[in-house]
Amino acid sequence: MFVFGSGVLIGTPQGGSPINFGLAQEVTLDVSVTTKALYGQNNFPVAIGSGTRKMTGKAKMARISGQALGALFFGVTPSAGSVVTQFGEAASVPASSPYTYTTANHATFTADQGVVYAGSALPLKAVASAPATGQYSVAAGVYTFAAGDAGAAVLVSYSYASAASGESIPVVSQLIGPTVSFSANLFASDPTTGKQFSLLLYNCVAEKLSFGTKLEDFVVPELDFQCFANASGQVCQINFGDAA
């Protein structure tokens, strides 16, 4: 049979609900085995013994899912709400005292992300209090500027909490040892017959998560995992849609 496309990859955390990895772009599975060769007086072995085996996989998925990453990698349930960054909010320093600007989301302000002059994009320096020209201070989402910057157009960037949108994963340091295991089901079809090919992995542990941004391209997180046997000694099962 023939198999076309990246297929669909579904992971099920132990004791949890199945989760689609989300727009799988590429899934690879590598199986390796250690071997030991027996030599005599000649330069080719007379026998080769098979030792331990290792099965590892890698999944690239285009949809960034908090549910998938939380359950399958971090072992936590995402919390409702997220932290949003407001980048370059347009503001003007008042022409007279007080020289302050209150951000649009000051009620849930969490962190300053910098201020620049709108005309030149040159950054202002953050100080604890009493800013001089070219400086600013901030408290609870209210920015204070110097009299020397009166009337200046600035762009303010900051982060704020949004309880009504998104979700977040709280990652904390934990004791070494416990792991998050999950089963996985990868399936795809033959484009000419519609018959299905599938690969069932009974026990997996994620061992690496990576993602990076790129100009004019989508972010595609990559999850590496390793497979091991379940209580019945089963590692995987490969299913073929035909008997050819």
Side-chain angles (χ1 to χ4, degrees):
M1 67 180 300
F2 304 103
V3 176
F4 183 79
S6 59
V8 176
L9 182 63
I10 298 173
T12 305
Q14 190 175 43
S17 301
I19 300 173
N20 190 332
F21 273 64
L23 296 179
Q25 301 296 293
E26 181 180 340
V27 181
T28 58
L29 187 69
D30 297 311
V31 183
S32 61
V33 57
T34 61
T35 59
K36 184 67 176 181
L38 176 65
Y39 290 88
Q41 64 271 27
N42 297 326
N43 58 3
F44 277 91
V46 297
I48 297 177
S50 172
T52 58
R53 297 186 178 230
K54 183 178 182 180
M55 182 181 293
T56 59
K58 180 179 297 185
K60 296 181 180 180
M61 52 277 191
R63 177 176 290 129
I64 302 177
S65 168
Q67 294 293 325
L69 297 183
L72 304 179
F73 187 82
F74 293 104
V76 298
T77 300
S79 303
S82 63
V83 173
V84 181
T85 298
Q86 178 70 26
F87 182 72
E89 184 172 292
S92 294
V93 179
S96 58
S97 181
Y99 305 104
T100 61
Y101 171 73
T102 301
T103 57
N105 301 283
H106 66 280
T108 56
F109 178 91
T110 59
D112 170 42
Q113 301 296 341
V115 179
V116 300
Y117 289 111
S120 64
L122 291 174
L124 285 76
K125 182 179 180 181
V127 295
S129 61
T133 302
Q135 298 179 339
Y136 70 94
S137 63
V138 58
V142 178
Y143 285 74
T144 300
F145 299 90
D149 283 317
V154 294
L155 299 175
V156 179
S157 298
Y158 60 94
S159 298
Y160 65 94
S162 175
S165 64
E167 57 187 10
S168 59
I169 299 175
V171 180
V172 298
S173 183
Q174 300 178 2
L175 289 175
I176 295 175
T179 59
V180 179
S181 63
F182 60 92
S183 61
N185 176 19
L186 171 67
F187 62 92
S189 299
D190 185 320
T192 58
T193 66
K195 293 182 178 180
Q196 190 179 92
F197 164 85
S198 67
L199 176 63
L200 306 178
L201 305 173
Y202 294 107
N203 261 341
C204 306
V205 169
E207 56 185 9
K208 183 181 179 181
L209 172 65
S210 59
F211 59 89
T213 61
K214 187 177 181 180
L215 188 64
E216 293 190 359
D217 206 350
F218 291 95
V219 174
V220 181
E222 185 174 298
L223 184 71
D224 294 9
F225 55 90
Q226 188 168 163
C227 309
F228 63 103
N230 62 15
S232 300
Q234 299 170 301
V235 178
C236 73
Q237 179 173 315
I238 305 174
N239 303 289
F240 305 90
D242 57 31

